[in-house]
Amino acid sequence: MKLTINGRSVNVPDALTESPLLWVLREQLELTGTRYGCGVGVCGACTIHVDGVATRACQLTPAQVGTARVTTIEGLASADGLHPVQRAWIEHGVAQCGFCQSGQIMSASALLARTPAPTDGDIDAAMSGNLCRCGTYPRIRRAIRHASMREPSTDAATRGDETPEGDKR
Amino acid sequence: MSRRTMLAALGWTATGLTLASCRLLPPIPKLGASDAEDTLGWLQIHADGRVELRSPVHDFGQGATTGLLQIVAEELGVAVDRISVVLPSTAHLRPVQGTFGSFSMAIHARPVAEIAAATREVLRTRVARARRVARSAVVDAQPDVDGAVFVVGASRLGLAEAVAGKTLVIDADQLRRVQTRSFDLAAPTRWVGKDVVPPDHVAVVTGATRYTSDIRLPGMAHGYVIAPPTPDAVLEAVDLGAARALSGWVAGHVDLDQGFVGVIAEDPFRLRAVIDAVRPRWRLASRFSQDDLDAALDVDRLLRRGALERQLVDDLDLDEGRAWSVNIRVDTPMVAHAPIELRAGVARWQGDRCEISVGTQDAFLTRDVFARRLGIANDHLIVHGQRMGGAFGGRAGVEGLDAAILARVARRPVKVQWTRPDDFARSFHGPPTSHRIRAQLDARGQIAAWWHAIGTGHVLLTSSVLAPWVQAATGLVPDEGAETGAVGAYRLGRRRIEVSAIRLPIPTGPWRGLNAAPNAFAIETAIDALAEAARVDPLAFRLRHLDKSSSLARCLDRVAERAGWAGRGGRGRGRAVACSMYGKTAVAVIAEVVELGGQARVERVVVAHDCGVVINPDRVRAQIEGNVIWAIGSTLRHRLVVADGRVTAQYLNGYPLPTIADTPAIEIDLVDAGRGTAWSGAGEPTVAAATAAIASAAAQALGVAPRALPVAWRNA
């Protein structure tokens, strides 16, 4: 079958259509930015977007994705540059070991796409499923607030464009 | 503990054998700073002007690598993002001390500055010769203006021009005492002492950071070692027949004596089916319960048998008639590292030579230990340290040994990937602790007598690294991790401080801060109880027992001022102060915790932190924040329990970590940042005082006595 990942159509062999998408991304497609932290949907390290919605890649298969558009951390930036969330993450020096941060950034960018001015409660609700053992939470909160004061998401794949150079709205 | 001390304790020094040659000696870690000669390969400037730091720091993203980059930048006069980092590898470094104990900057900062400064001077000489001018005519350019490093007359030279086509690595006779710029408190610096964002954060936010599980080698197969159902289960037999018949099967390896069952498959998809088809038969040995574990290190039971194993301080006369002002029992549970990264190891062989890529805190000790386990000479094994996603103190690299064993069997490179249940079952954990503290006030309300007895599991001498015969001898050497912070800075009159480190049936070992957090929780709990008995404010009481000029007293004053300390709290809203030394770092913490629907919620944590020289204030703040969140986990969220001979947690819902919703307001005062001269670390120190302060405040808010962690698991 074919999956649409980061705006491109990719082939998934029949043998893998019922495997967790996390492994198809990491092993078959060599998109290793989506991380394996538990495999059972608890830690959030494998968070990606499916039609713009934050989703745990370990909890669904290519067959379940079907024709929906998948965005991974590798596809979040556009031709114009880093996503506002990515820029905010750098400005606030959020990361330590970095392992959870792909998932954090995907959850945060999905939050801001639907709630451009989130309250603390919105942030808690959207982000409390992304665990961080290094304790970068205070900076995650600051970076989300900072990014929310900028342009809304320019994530081309989330807006449904085929290529990063698609129409801006 | 120096190599000599350990060898003396084990009776080896009389034998006259050299360290390098004797295969009977246990592998012993290198300790201490590197000599100048050992640092020669650390810095290279390539012909195109690229700078490469072969870093001695094993990287958790803790900020020490960034600190070293800032120092190199300062000495060479080039921007931080012009310097690439190579992680520690036994292939290109001489042995360096492992990365633990928050020592990295104290040990490596000066040697890195000196090699970088020496490199600058060699470059200056090279430019002077090429341009036929005196060295004094080759002037340092203003840093970070246009990339120029030197100015000669009207010419501005970058590194590429200065290097002039010949890669620069300095050699021993070019290394001389040079003036470094990084630590000159009188002169302004461009990078050192500044909030530089780590250059690797760009890779982090784009998912480009590489961890061990991201490594791909040509022809690589995927292996897995089946964890025993309990740590002491005995492997009786294994049936690989069904597994062998599956497509994707590559090979298997069984060693009944070692309890080792490993399988290898073509890809991770078919590996799952192969694992499921293996039929190992285990004989369970002991089926110890949580009560068994508790009894093994129950400090009161140990005390009834007489003195504990090791007296740290013993100048207290145990007068039978003494009336103790405070007599408390405090317990903390076993704790897991719970890194978010699931560990992996990659290995390949060429003939009888092996290369392992794995997360480790000590590439050289890992190399030495694994070479023995594989039956090869040290110089036939290379270990490449990888960036690690957590488990601070827990990284011995066993998953790399798994990969090496299986790669030899498969005759192909092999990657081994741990699962989350593997992480709970196969890691060593921070040991439980059990404390009895008795103390007596004199007529003036000062502590005159103090008796602290500690029962705990082993911390530094862990089974994952040392051979069984060394473990058996461990009663002879101090287990310093168990004692961390037990002899603190307070003036406590006459003291008896004693420890027993018990070998437990669950592997225990170093955890963030070693036993500093449990020890601080016990000590600070007793201090609070004594302050109450003396009817003195807890902050004032602590100051009365400290040297006024000490850094700890200064931190207490600073945190009190910053937090607006007005006394302890009570039911519904707890407020507590705690302080602790970790190495030379002083930390004082004030925590405010409220009760919400029967649960404790941490609202505010204020930290005063003195670690001496601060290379990057923002990275130090990040570590302090991380320590505070860590302490919230220990005080309010998680504990490891055992049942039926094993740890019960398998996934993170069985060991709940704090989430972003648990984050308090955190305020940090870096005491004397930029003006200190001592060298101490920031990766771990805050966890001790933060654990004590948050536990105390939470206990107040919930109306319980703080006698166990997590608070409110059981009421005292």
Side-chain angles (χ1 to χ4, degrees):
Chain A
M1 64 172 292
K2 294 218 177 293
L3 283 182
T4 305
I5 305 206
N6 298 334
R8 294 174 57 233
S9 182
V10 297
N11 195 52
V12 176
D14 287 343
L16 302 185
T17 58
E18 303 292 344
S19 296
L21 180 64
L22 171 62
W23 296 109
V24 176
L25 291 171
R26 289 186 56 77
E27 300 296 329
Q28 180 67 20
L29 303 173
E30 298 193 2
L31 292 168
T32 57
T34 303
R35 311 287 181 191
Y36 171 45
C38 73
V40 294
V42 170
C43 72
C46 68
T47 305
I48 53 168
H49 296 168
V50 178
D51 281 341
V53 176
T55 311
R56 286 151 155 67
C58 70
Q59 294 298 290
L60 77 170
T61 65
Q64 290 167 325
V65 171
T67 58
R69 293 168 189 280
V70 173
T71 311
T72 71
I73 185 73
E74 291 91 345
L76 191 63
S78 70
D80 300 328
L82 295 177
H83 189 284
V85 168
Q86 289 169 314
R87 289 203 303 272
W89 243 244
I90 292 171
E91 284 172 34
H92 288 268
V94 173
Q96 290 181 30
C97 86
F99 196 82
C100 75
Q101 300 294 344
S102 297
Q104 302 281 2
I105 289 167
M106 297 310 281
S107 289
S109 53
L111 166 66
L112 291 179
R114 67 171 188 276
T115 312
T119 63
D120 278 345
D122 293 328
I123 293 173
D124 283 354
M127 302 298 298
S128 58
N130 287 86
L131 299 179
C132 172
R133 188 53 160 151
C134 296
T136 65
Y137 300 134
R139 290 167 187 249
I140 290 174
R141 197 184 282 285
R142 288 202 288 275
I144 290 173
R145 287 209 200 98
H146 188 171
S148 74
M149 297 189 298
R150 286 177 162 155
E151 305 257 324
S153 168
T154 56
D155 177 351
T158 304
R159 291 201 317 259
D161 296 332
E162 280 293 342
T163 66
E165 291 85 27
D167 294 334
K168 290 192 177 32
R169 288 197 268 271
Chain B
M1 181 204 327
S2 74
R3 238 184 273 223
R4 274 199 201 298
T5 312
M6 179 154 183
L7 288 177
L10 293 171
W12 277 103
T13 49
T15 63
L17 298 168
T18 65
L19 286 174
S21 58
C22 183
R23 300 284 302 166
L24 296 175
L25 284 173
I28 292 172
K30 172 172 171 71
L31 295 172
S34 293
D35 312 328
E37 280 221 14
D38 286 345
T39 70
L40 288 176
W42 288 7
L43 198 61
Q44 302 201 356
I45 303 186
H46 292 276
D48 59 0
R50 274 183 307 121
V51 183
E52 185 179 278
L53 172 66
R54 294 179 162 184
S55 176
V57 172
H58 300 76
D59 204 359
F60 286 107
Q62 71 272 46
T65 306
T66 303
L68 295 184
L69 288 176
Q70 288 169 254
I71 290 168
V72 172
E74 197 73 50
E75 298 299 332
L76 293 182
V78 297
V80 169
D81 55 17
R82 300 267 317 273
I83 307 163
S84 64
V85 174
V86 180
L87 295 178
S89 166
T90 63
H92 65 243
L93 285 181
R94 294 210 204 166
V96 291
Q97 174 170 314
T99 302
F100 56 83
S102 304
F103 292 135
S104 289
M105 297 314 287
I107 287 181
H108 298 305
R110 278 197 184 284
V112 166
E114 283 166 10
I115 189 81
T119 301
R120 180 189 75 228
E121 293 312 314
V122 168
L123 263 181
R124 192 189 313 275
T125 302
R126 190 183 275 195
V127 169
R129 288 208 186 115
R131 304 210 158 210
R132 300 176 198 276
V133 296
R135 287 184 84 250
S136 56
V138 182
V139 170
D140 294 332
Q142 185 87 330
D144 204 31
V145 168
D146 56 359
V149 171
F150 293 124
V151 179
V152 184
S155 301
R156 300 179 65 79
L157 288 81
L159 275 182
E161 289 89 37
V163 159
K166 247 180 50 174
T167 295
L168 176 61
V169 183
I170 71 175
D171 55 41
D173 58 2
Q174 292 171 313
L175 192 62
R176 66 184 88 152
R177 289 244 153 244
V178 282
Q179 190 63 31
T180 59
R181 304 174 184 170
S182 299
F183 317 121
D184 180 356
L185 298 176
T189 54
R190 173 66 187 82
W191 288 282
V192 168
K194 304 288 163 57
D195 291 345
V196 172
V197 172
D200 59 0
H201 280 204
V202 179
V204 170
V205 305
T206 55
T209 306
R210 198 180 78 160
Y211 302 87
T212 311
S213 65
D214 303 326
I215 295 174
R216 305 268 175 286
L217 297 178
M220 188 175 79
H222 297 259
Y224 185 74
V225 174
I226 294 178
T230 67
D232 56 5
V234 173
L235 184 60
E236 294 196 312
V238 184
D239 180 0
L240 293 178
R244 270 203 194 93
L246 294 175
S247 101
W249 166 269
V250 170
H253 178 66
V254 175
D255 184 330
L256 294 179
D257 287 339
Q258 296 285 318
F260 186 99
V261 188
V263 291
I264 307 135
E266 287 290 342
D267 56 63
F269 304 99
R270 287 181 282 179
L271 176 62
R272 189 70 254 164
V274 164
I275 294 166
D276 291 343
V278 176
R279 300 269 175 273
R281 195 172 76 234
W282 303 91
R283 186 179 74 246
L284 299 186
S286 65
R287 307 283 289 262
F288 55 87
S289 64
Q290 184 62 44
D291 285 346
D292 292 332
L293 203 67
D294 292 344
L297 49 87
D298 182 328
V299 67
D300 292 323
R301 196 179 66 90
L302 295 170
L303 283 168
R304 279 194 292 275
R305 290 203 257 145
L308 269 51
E309 247 169 32
R310 192 165 142 68
Q311 306 299 313
L312 305 182
V313 181
D314 187 14
D315 58 15
L316 175 64
D317 176 16
L318 290 182
D319 173 357
E320 290 299 333
R322 191 186 294 276
W324 300 107
S325 313
V326 155
N327 183 352
I328 58 171
R329 165 73 184 257
V330 172
D331 295 281
T332 69
M334 194 158 55
V335 283
H337 292 286
I340 306 301
E341 181 197 8
L342 288 175
R343 304 173 217 213
V346 175
R348 68 173 158 195
W349 290 81
Q350 269 170 305
D352 61 352
R353 291 172 180 272
C354 183
E355 251 180 280
I356 296 175
S357 294
V358 71
T360 172
Q361 289 173 242
D362 189 336
F364 289 89
L365 183 63
T366 295
R367 188 269 311 270
D368 293 349
V369 172
F370 291 179
R372 271 159 209 264
R373 300 260 175 100
L374 295 169
I376 59 179
N378 280 6
D379 62 7
H380 281 211
L381 174 58
I382 292 173
V383 172
H384 303 296
Q386 301 299 304
R387 186 184 180 110
M388 296 171 281
F392 315 121
R395 292 285 186 155
V398 166
E399 55 280 12
L401 180 62
D402 290 349
I405 292 169
L406 295 182
R408 186 158 55 180
V409 166
R411 298 179 203 264
R412 286 166 65 170
V414 167
K415 180 198 294 182
V416 166
Q417 171 72 62
W418 279 19
T419 64
R420 183 55 63 179
D422 287 332
D423 194 77
F424 282 111
R426 298 187 64 197
S427 300
F428 52 80
H429 304 295
T433 72
S434 170
H435 306 254
R436 169 67 61 185
I437 300 185
R438 296 175 169 110
Q440 186 182 43
L441 295 167
D442 65 18
R444 296 170 303 136
Q446 286 292 109
I447 303 170
W450 173 274
W451 181 14
H452 183 183
I454 307 171
T456 183
H458 281 282
V459 178
L460 281 182
L461 299 172
T462 80
S463 57
S464 73
V465 169
L466 295 174
W469 69 266
V470 177
Q471 293 174 55
T474 56
L476 298 174
V477 290
D479 186 342
E480 289 174 316
E483 304 160 12
T484 311
V487 181
Y490 294 124
R491 286 190 304 270
L492 298 173
R494 296 209 171 276
R495 300 166 298 169
R496 181 182 176 92
I497 303 176
E498 52 184 335
V499 182
S500 282
I502 311 290
R503 187 150 303 284
L504 299 174
I506 299 279
T508 63
W511 193 77
R512 190 175 203 168
L514 304 177
N515 271 11
N519 288 342
F521 170 55
I523 290 166
E524 295 295 283
T525 297
I527 296 290
D528 279 340
L530 287 160
E532 198 168 331
R535 299 181 195 281
V536 177
D537 171 271
L539 188 93
F541 188 75
R542 284 168 169 79
L543 284 168
R544 282 190 198 180
H545 290 83
L546 288 172
D547 185 344
K548 281 190 195 357
S549 65
S550 67
S551 55
L552 205 53
R554 293 228 18 248
C555 284
L556 276 171
D557 284 333
R558 294 281 282 259
V559 80
E561 191 186 310
R562 181 77 181 242
W565 174 262
R568 55 171 275 156
R571 194 85 164 84
R573 176 172 285 277
R575 197 178 311 112
V577 61
C579 65
S580 185
M581 297 294 297
Y582 186 86
K584 295 191 200 139
T585 300
V587 185
V589 176
I590 288 173
E592 293 176 12
V593 179
V594 296
E595 182 258 325
L596 268 177
Q599 305 282 329
R601 161 135 186 83
V602 188
E603 271 200 350
R604 184 184 183 216
V605 178
V606 184
V607 181
H609 186 282
D610 182 357
C611 58
V613 181
V614 173
I615 303 295
N616 187 324
D618 195 57
R619 288 302 98 198
V620 171
R621 288 172 193 277
Q623 286 303 300
I624 294 168
E625 290 162 10
N627 272 266
V628 169
I629 304 296
W630 189 281
I632 292 175
S634 303
T635 53
L636 299 178
R637 289 284 171 274
H638 54 62
R639 60 180 188 149
L640 276 180
V641 295
V642 303
D644 254 352
R646 50 183 280 275
V647 160
T648 60
Q650 291 197 290
Y651 291 96
L652 288 169
N653 49 355
Y655 190 80
L657 297 177
T659 73
I660 193 170
D662 300 319
T663 307
I666 301 175
E667 295 158 52
I668 297 168
D669 184 345
L670 292 186
V671 176
D672 270 357
R675 293 188 298 285
T677 53
W679 285 93
S680 194
E684 296 163 290
T686 301
V687 75
T691 298
I694 292 169
S696 176
Q700 287 173 33
L702 297 174
V704 301
R707 296 290 181 268
L709 295 182
V711 172
W713 270 103
R714 13 180 230 267
N715 295 340

